[in-house]
Amino acid sequence: MMNSIKELAGKRDLLLNQDKMPLFDALVQYAKQDVTPFDVPGHKMGSTMTPLKQVLGEMTLRMDVNSMKELDLLSHPQSVIKEAQELAAAAFGADHAYFLVNGTTVGIQAMIMAVCKPGDTLLVPRNGHKSVMDGIILSGARPVFIQPEVDYHFGISHGVSIGSVERAIQEHPEAKALLITYPTYFGSMSDLQAICQLAHANDVTVIVDSAHGAHLPFMSDDMIDPISAGADAVTISMHKTGGSLTQSSILLVKEERVAPEAIQKLLSMLQTTSANYLLMSSLDVARRELVMNGSERLHQLRPTIDAAIAELETNSRYEVLKPDYVTKHFQQSYDWTKLVIRVNGIGLTGFDVYTMLKESYGIQMELAEGYVVMAVISNADTAESIGKLVNALQDIERRFGQQNVIMSTNVTADQVNQLVISPREAFYAEQESVFIDDAIGRISADTLMIYPPGIPLVIPGELISEEVVQQYHYYRETLGEVLIEAKEANHITVVKENA
Ligand SMILES: Cc1ncc(COP(=O)(O)O)c(C=O)c1O
């Protein structure tokens, strides 16, 4: 009883202290001291790197230091990193938070390895990010893929349905864990609360790739964040929508089903022993900013987004993906900070418009697909930045719009690739490089994908079908390049036959 009162008091203090930035403050204080460094990094607080110092400023380099007593150690946090992580855990409603310096990628790998031993079954959406596939290879988990909902009108995929999760759990009672992408890159959100209830009732642990959802707990709308929905472990890319520096993410854990010790051990294995303090301290600052001002800023932005969508759709053939549409057709909710704009109605591909926006209007979009371009809105946006995008799109339609509508079965290909051997077996098998057109019927040892969004067309262990090869050619022609590991052009690495 005493303990739980103490625990509650501790939690209350953490919630009350969200304006604090223990790690950032300690780092700034150290950087301001008159220290003679005989430790690494060898640039010695910027004394030898003039061009970098000129651009970044002296303070940035003085803050680029290594672990030491007063700045704590990421792999064994005892003081300021520990405090900063505890504040982050409280801000996101988790029991534990772990700072990551290799993005959500390393968090996903650690989550999978923590919940699946080699050979354990992991239920996973087929439109998962490359890091999920790599986590499967590293862990030796046996993936069972769940097909996501395909949207033929916008040419994208959404989250998985509760029905398909239910089927997967019924067909695989041995499943140890389920990975959900929430929200998807395009902003759709499955019914995570129902999915968690169903999974837990069947003793399946739920881990969540929330690379695009760091802002969710701070939305004033009725969007539920993964921890509140009941997830057991979640990784969020604070650097994507939470305001921290690129590469910095947070892994959140609820300890009922995921052992914090296992997570800490895995992160110590997978992450560098020289974690970057600029990245880590930016997590401390971004967490404070989200808690103190996040909701208000995002709330203020909503009418601006709604007005921009209305203006863009008036007298035009553009169409914007909206929450009502996603709910009506796919029974999923939608994160309105993603602006997915269907452009194939003006006779151009998403790739054409993406390039035009960059080259003629100085606008960098997040991604393009066959039918759409996507903008990510954050609380750093303003009516002015959003207005610039709307004006540019209107101008593109006026100047370059065609009468035809572009449609291609390659964009909405929803073939299910056959997994012949596990991704890990394929990874370690003897391999050879073959011409892509000759690869039909062979087992891939390569990951073939377009980036972004980084969702593989084929992964190691899957049979290369005619559709996969067709998609490869489509993306090469429309996009110019497809990411593939094989060195020679138009080649793919496959598993050697009879190997
Ligand atoms: C859905 C999804 N998951 C995971 C990642 C990996 O995140 P990070 O870049 O933080 O490593 C990404 C990156 O784009 C992503 O889109």
Side-chain angles (χ1 to χ4, degrees):
M1 187 66 180
M2 277 308 285
N3 259 352
S4 67
I5 289 173
K6 245 187 178 170
E7 264 173 37
L8 283 176
K11 281 195 174 157
R12 189 204 54 204
D13 287 350
L14 286 169
L15 286 170
L16 291 176
N17 286 335
Q18 287 293 325
D19 61 333
K20 303 261 185 313
M21 300 178 289
L23 177 57
F24 180 71
D25 288 346
L27 183 60
V28 170
Q29 198 186 352
Y30 180 77
K32 285 182 175 168
Q33 281 170 26
D34 183 15
V35 177
T36 306
F38 278 103
D39 60 348
V40 292
H43 64 68
K44 306 255 172 145
M45 301 179 98
S47 55
T48 58
M49 272 206 282
T50 312
L52 206 56
K53 195 156 118 183
Q54 265 172 356
V55 176
L56 296 183
E58 184 172 356
M59 195 58 184
T60 313
L61 288 170
R62 290 192 68 80
M63 289 167 71
D64 182 40
V65 293
N66 214 336
S67 291
M68 62 189 71
K69 190 162 183 290
E70 59 269 55
L71 292 181
D72 211 354
L73 180 65
L74 182 62
S75 57
H76 188 60
Q78 296 294 307
S79 58
V80 282
I81 293 180
K82 183 168 181 273
E83 281 169 45
Q85 290 187 154
E86 282 172 357
L87 285 166
F92 287 91
D95 295 331
H96 302 274
Y98 301 85
F99 285 181
L100 309 176
V101 290
N102 188 24
T104 291
T105 296
V106 75
I108 288 172
Q109 291 165 354
M111 289 193 300
I112 295 176
M113 292 174 83
V115 295
C116 286
K117 291 193 297 293
D120 282 350
T121 299
L122 174 70
L123 308 175
V124 56
R126 181 56 183 78
N127 59 339
H129 183 258
K130 182 182 183 304
S131 55
V132 174
M133 303 306 160
D134 292 342
I136 288 169
I137 293 176
L138 285 170
S139 65
R142 198 174 68 83
V144 168
F145 290 116
I146 304 176
Q147 296 306 315
E149 299 294 289
V150 176
D151 185 331
Y152 295 93
H153 187 62
F154 279 85
I156 61 173
S157 52
H158 296 292
V160 293
S161 70
I162 178 87
S164 54
V165 172
E166 198 165 10
R167 260 193 311 282
I169 290 179
Q170 270 166 11
E171 286 167 14
H172 294 277
E174 81 287 1
K176 283 279 183 320
L178 162 71
L179 184 142
I180 296 288
T181 313
Y182 181 95
T184 63
Y185 207 150
F186 297 105
S188 320
M189 294 183 287
S190 308
D191 186 348
L192 190 57
Q193 229 170 345
I195 289 176
C196 288
Q197 276 167 12
L198 179 70
H200 290 161
N202 288 278
D203 206 17
V204 173
T205 302
V206 182
I207 56 178
V208 175
D209 169 0
S210 193
H212 299 278
H215 58 297
L216 285 182
F218 310 98
M219 305 279 284
S220 39
D221 322 68
D222 54 355
M223 265 180 257
I224 188 161
D225 64 273
I227 290 286
S228 306
D232 301 301
V234 181
T235 306
I236 53 173
S237 289
M238 282 290 271
H239 68 96
K240 290 189 194 292
T241 59
S244 66
L245 292 179
T246 294
Q247 231 175 290
S248 58
S249 288
I250 302 181
L251 199 170
L252 303 164
V253 168
K254 290 289 271 186
E255 62 185 11
E256 204 178 319
R257 288 171 189 272
V258 177
E261 304 77 29
I263 293 285
Q264 181 70 73
K265 209 170 179 175
L266 282 160
L267 288 176
S268 301
M269 278 168 64
L270 296 169
Q271 297 211 96
T272 172
T273 48
S274 310
N276 185 301
Y277 272 88
L278 291 167
L279 298 186
M280 289 190 287
S281 66
S282 79
L283 287 169
D284 208 16
V285 179
R287 181 267 314 150
R288 179 193 183 277
E289 201 46 31
L290 277 175
V291 175
M292 305 305 285
N293 303 312
S295 300
E296 200 185 321
R297 293 238 180 99
L298 283 167
H299 183 66
Q300 282 167 359
L301 210 55
R302 182 79 198 257
T304 310
I305 303 292
D306 289 344
I309 293 173
E311 194 186 334
L312 189 60
E313 290 188 329
T314 306
N315 301 323
S316 103
R317 282 170 294 143
Y318 290 122
E319 224 177 295
V320 179
L321 190 63
K322 292 189 280 294
D324 289 355
Y325 168 92
V326 178
T327 304
K328 180 172 168 209
H329 295 280
F330 302 97
Q331 296 76 51
Q332 299 185 12
S333 46
Y334 189 71
D335 171 10
W336 57 264
T337 67
K338 309 290 187 291
L339 224 47
V340 174
I341 303 150
R342 185 178 185 265
V343 303
N344 59 326
I346 68 163
L348 298 174
T349 67
F351 308 118
D352 297 330
V353 174
Y354 178 94
T355 308
M356 286 172 179
L357 283 168
K358 184 65 186 283
E359 291 180 356
S360 306
Y361 303 89
I363 293 174
Q364 177 62 56
M365 297 298 274
E366 172 66 13
L367 68 83
E369 252 294 348
Y371 301 168
V372 299
V373 287
M374 182 173 94
V376 170
I377 307 295
S378 82
N379 55 20
D381 277 299
T382 58
E384 198 188 346
S385 65
I386 295 161
K388 188 175 166 187
L389 174 62
V390 171
N391 289 342
L393 285 165
Q394 286 172 334
D395 199 45
I396 287 174
E397 183 173 15
R398 259 193 311 274
R399 290 170 62 198
F400 306 106
Q402 313 281 324
Q403 282 314 309
N404 62 315
V405 176
I406 290 185
M407 299 294 276
S408 164
T409 48
N410 289 307
V411 174
T412 47
D414 57 356
Q415 88 273 354
V416 179
N417 295 342
Q418 189 191 339
L419 189 73
V420 186
I421 55 177
S422 80
R424 188 181 173 93
E425 281 167 331
F427 182 82
Y428 285 113
E430 269 194 65
Q431 302 170 2
E432 62 183 334
S433 177
V434 298
F435 185 55
I436 188 104
D437 290 326
D438 297 333
I440 297 170
R442 301 290 299 271
I443 299 170
S444 182
D446 228 335
T447 301
L448 200 161
M449 65 174 190
I450 55 167
Y451 190 85
I455 291 158
L457 302 180
V458 75
I459 60 162
E462 282 184 345
L463 201 68
I464 301 169
S465 62
E466 211 173 319
E467 287 92 340
V468 167
V469 174
Q470 245 176 41
Q471 280 174 287
Y472 170 85
H473 286 301
Y474 170 79
Y475 283 115
R476 253 198 88 91
E477 276 157 31
T478 47
L479 192 59
E481 198 187 4
V482 176
L483 292 185
I484 196 162
E485 286 149 17
K487 297 272 179 294
E488 293 164 274
N490 288 320
H491 277 60
I492 184 165
T493 310
V494 295
V495 171
K496 258 195 183 168
E497 282 176 336
N498 305 320

